[in-house]
Amino acid sequence: MKTKKILIVEDDSILQKTLQEFLSTEGFETTSASDGEKAVELARSGKPDLILLDIILPKKDGYEVIKDLKSDQGTRSIPIILLTNLGSMHDVEKALNLGATTYLVKADYKLEEVVAKIKEVLSIN
Amino acid sequence: MLRRKSRIGKMKKELANIFGDLNIKKQAEDLGVSVWETPSFLFILMGMIIMVVMAVIYFISRHYESPELLIVSESLVVIFIFTVGNVIIRGVENVARINKMKSEFVSIASHQLKTPLTQLNWEIELLLSRYAEGLTKKQLDIIKDVSHSHLRMAKLTNDLLDVARIDQGKMVLLEEKFDLLKLVEDVIQSEKNLAEEHNVKVKVNIPAALPEIKGDKRRTGVVVDNLLSNAIKYTDRQGEVEVSVERKDATVTACIKDNGVGIPKYQQDQVFQKFFRSDNAARYQEEGTGLGLYIAKNIIEQSGGKLWFQSEENIGSTFCLSLPLEPTKAKGKFKI
């Protein structure tokens, strides 16, 4: 089985680092972006199998990132898991309507649960 | 003379009753304003002044047959009523605005706390699951204590955020199908350690199967967990807690009965208030914010169910929740 590539979009450096380390030990290949513009760029050039996306980001927020990726033939089919602490239904609804696959509230999930969700989404795709 | 005295006494009592009902002092304390600024006081003042002015106008108009005077004095009264009314409305608006700001502050602050809490949570998990090798038992114990403190902090943050959401009317519940029995069993499992610590036996009395109910699984779990952990925490040695679930027609009822400290009679009507902790509970356990039951009641009622209890001090408490199999009004639209 080919190693799956995950793009982590997270502006908090500690969260980015822990996610990256945990996913590496789980056998995923990871790249990271700390802002929305870089995220779109890396998604286009790196063709990840899945994107973990925060909503509040510098330069370009998560909504804009989803819009950009979904309107581009090359990145349209990449599944996006929103990983956010914006727990309000309004934010989530907005992101899901734009085409994100699912969402997780960071503070409520352990890393292993995040990994389980990634595997679940990857197996469907 | 005596009769007059008693009449004055009676009048005083009646006045005290009226003022007691309005409870201006309490209102002033609640709103954080002086007695002269409370809406109740201003209303009474306005009423009295209107009556006095009306009487004055009546007497003046009997002495002077001048419609102009009457019109001028009537206008004065109207202007006065508008002014006082305006002061009252502004005062109420102010109080409402301060309340909203307080609520917003709590939700922003607890939201900001979520990032560092997530960092702690993930770092500890990474350490324990990937790099625990070579750590001494002492080091592991310390990390586990840190993890325990983190969980407490995370729970408090979530509670504060929930309270802010309830106060702002922004509590949104998901609608998903879930198995209540499995949820109850999972909660019992997760509180096993607490039960052992408190030396409490947890008996289970649940049917073999139930149809799935529709509602917010995570939040319903929070409620059940709250009731069960309360029952365990406030039960002394040789305690017994019984969890029972039954279905009646289109409703499922879950009850959690304990033989613990109970809630004193005189405090039973305050149980579901924000920050409430009964006197004996506070003596018994220093941990606890008094937010759990307030949140629980709001979640269950918003799910179309009911939450109630029976309790006797030193005998024990029984808390029950009932939920409809199908929620009556649509809330969330998510099936995740």
Side-chain angles (χ1 to χ4, degrees):
Chain A
M1 200 179 111
K2 197 174 128 294
T3 312
K4 297 284 186 188
K5 262 198 292 192
I6 312 277
L7 168 60
I8 299 164
V9 188
E10 170 62 66
D11 58 330
D12 183 274
S13 61
I14 292 180
L15 293 182
Q16 191 190 98
K17 189 185 69 172
T18 20
L19 270 171
Q20 201 160 359
E21 270 196 61
F22 199 86
L23 290 178
S24 305
T25 57
E26 285 282 336
F28 292 105
E29 190 186 320
T30 59
T31 41
S32 303
S34 304
D35 64 70
E37 275 177 16
K38 188 107 178 103
V40 175
E41 200 181 299
L42 284 177
R44 282 180 182 151
S45 61
K47 292 279 181 296
D49 296 292
L50 184 139
I51 300 172
L52 289 178
L53 180 66
D54 194 0
I55 292 185
I56 302 169
L57 292 163
K59 293 188 188 169
K60 200 179 255 187
D61 67 22
Y63 305 121
E64 295 293 318
V65 173
I66 303 175
K67 272 186 211 158
D68 283 4
L69 296 180
K70 292 296 169 188
S71 62
D72 182 329
Q73 203 61 43
T75 52
R76 181 178 296 172
S77 59
I78 305 172
I80 297 170
I81 297 180
L82 285 172
L83 200 52
T84 173
N85 267 335
L86 271 186
S88 105
M89 227 18 93
H90 167 77
D91 310 307
V92 173
E93 194 168 9
K94 189 169 160 186
L96 291 177
N97 285 341
L98 287 170
T101 308
T102 182
Y103 84 102
L104 300 175
V105 177
K106 276 185 268 195
D108 297 340
Y109 284 83
K110 289 162 82 169
L111 285 164
E112 60 176 51
E113 289 168 323
V114 175
V115 168
K117 199 72 170 176
I118 290 174
K119 287 179 176 166
E120 186 190 320
V121 172
L122 283 174
S123 69
I124 294 167
N125 275 273
Chain B
M1 189 69 202
L2 258 178
R3 206 183 284 170
R4 219 178 116 195
K5 256 195 181 159
S6 73
R7 218 184 310 155
I8 289 172
K10 235 187 191 163
M11 264 171 67
K12 264 190 182 166
K13 232 185 221 162
E14 272 172 21
L15 266 177
N17 272 345
I18 292 170
F19 280 82
D21 283 346
L22 288 163
N23 212 340
I24 293 174
K25 227 173 157 169
K26 191 174 177 308
Q27 193 177 53
E29 276 169 21
D30 286 349
L31 302 179
V33 291
S34 71
V35 173
W36 321 116
E37 289 171 310
T38 55
S40 298
F41 174 79
L42 289 169
F43 269 118
I44 293 165
L45 182 74
M46 189 162 78
M48 284 177 173
I49 291 174
I50 291 168
M51 283 191 287
V52 170
V53 173
M54 284 299 185
V56 170
I57 289 171
Y58 170 75
F59 284 110
I60 289 175
S61 61
R62 278 181 54 181
H63 285 281
Y64 304 95
E65 299 246 334
S66 148
E68 289 86 355
L69 194 71
L70 205 61
I71 287 166
V72 167
S73 37
E74 289 277 7
S75 312
L76 282 175
V77 174
V78 170
I79 288 166
F80 175 79
I81 293 172
F82 266 115
T83 317
V84 176
N86 200 16
V87 170
I88 293 172
I89 289 165
R90 271 223 310 275
V92 173
E93 271 175 1
N94 231 347
V95 168
R97 211 182 34 246
I98 289 167
N99 224 336
K100 188 164 173 272
M101 265 167 57
K102 244 185 355 200
S103 214
E104 277 173 358
F105 169 76
V106 171
S107 63
I108 289 166
S110 23
H111 191 87
Q112 291 299 334
L113 281 169
K114 284 203 158 199
T115 297
L117 284 168
T118 311
Q119 289 171 347
L120 260 174
N121 189 11
W122 288 359
E123 292 275 27
I124 293 168
E125 189 187 350
L126 187 65
L127 179 62
L128 289 176
S129 67
R130 299 287 184 270
Y131 304 106
E133 218 172 292
L135 288 173
T136 62
K137 188 182 172 306
K138 184 77 196 154
Q139 286 168 327
L140 273 173
D141 281 347
I142 291 173
I143 294 164
K144 283 185 178 145
D145 284 347
V146 171
S147 176
H148 179 76
S149 307
H150 160 264
L151 277 178
R152 261 184 77 180
M153 211 153 52
K155 188 180 177 324
L156 177 62
T157 311
N158 270 333
D159 283 356
L160 285 171
L161 206 52
D162 276 349
V163 168
R165 282 190 187 126
I166 290 165
D167 288 350
Q168 293 169 5
K170 283 185 187 165
M171 179 73 126
V172 182
L173 299 178
L174 293 178
E175 221 171 84
E176 51 203 331
K177 281 202 156 183
F178 68 92
D179 180 350
L180 184 71
L181 288 184
K182 191 178 174 325
L183 185 100
V184 168
E185 282 165 355
D186 287 350
V187 169
I188 292 170
Q189 194 56 35
S190 71
E191 293 297 359
K192 225 177 152 163
N193 284 347
L194 188 73
E196 276 169 19
E197 262 172 53
H198 285 258
N199 207 354
V200 168
K201 252 206 267 286
V202 180
K203 287 201 304 190
V204 185
N205 174 17
I206 57 180
L210 271 183
E212 286 195 316
I213 65 174
K214 238 185 184 178
D216 191 315
K217 182 180 168 190
R218 194 179 70 84
R219 292 201 186 279
T220 309
V222 167
V223 174
V224 176
D225 183 68
N226 221 309
L227 299 183
L228 180 63
S229 62
N230 274 351
I232 294 169
K233 274 192 301 202
Y234 299 118
T235 297
D236 225 331
R237 304 277 154 216
Q238 308 313 316
E240 267 194 11
V241 170
E242 188 184 352
V243 183
S244 54
V245 179
E246 62 170 353
R247 178 190 169 188
K248 272 192 204 136
D249 309 326
T251 313
V252 181
T253 305
C255 286
I256 292 166
K257 184 175 182 224
D258 66 55
N259 59 351
V261 294
I263 300 152
K265 264 271 175 293
Y266 64 93
Q267 286 190 305
Q268 291 197 357
D269 56 344
Q270 304 163 44
V271 165
F272 294 114
Q273 282 174 10
K274 234 186 301 185
F275 300 110
F276 169 77
R277 299 200 68 210
S278 71
D279 293 342
N280 58 343
R283 268 204 310 275
Y284 194 78
Q285 270 270 343
E286 69 265 29
E287 237 181 85
T289 55
L291 293 173
L293 288 174
Y294 172 77
I295 295 167
K297 193 168 173 69
N298 275 282
I299 290 173
I300 294 298
E301 286 182 355
Q302 206 178 316
S303 307
K306 286 193 185 77
L307 180 64
W308 68 96
F309 74 97
Q310 282 170 317
S311 183
E312 209 170 317
E313 198 171 359
N314 301 323
I315 305 283
S317 307
T318 305
F319 276 81
C320 293
L321 64 91
S322 69
L323 281 169
L325 289 172
E326 284 276 342
T328 37
K329 47 182 197 282
K331 283 172 289 282
K333 302 193 272 283
F334 294 93
K335 296 170 183 61
I336 297 167

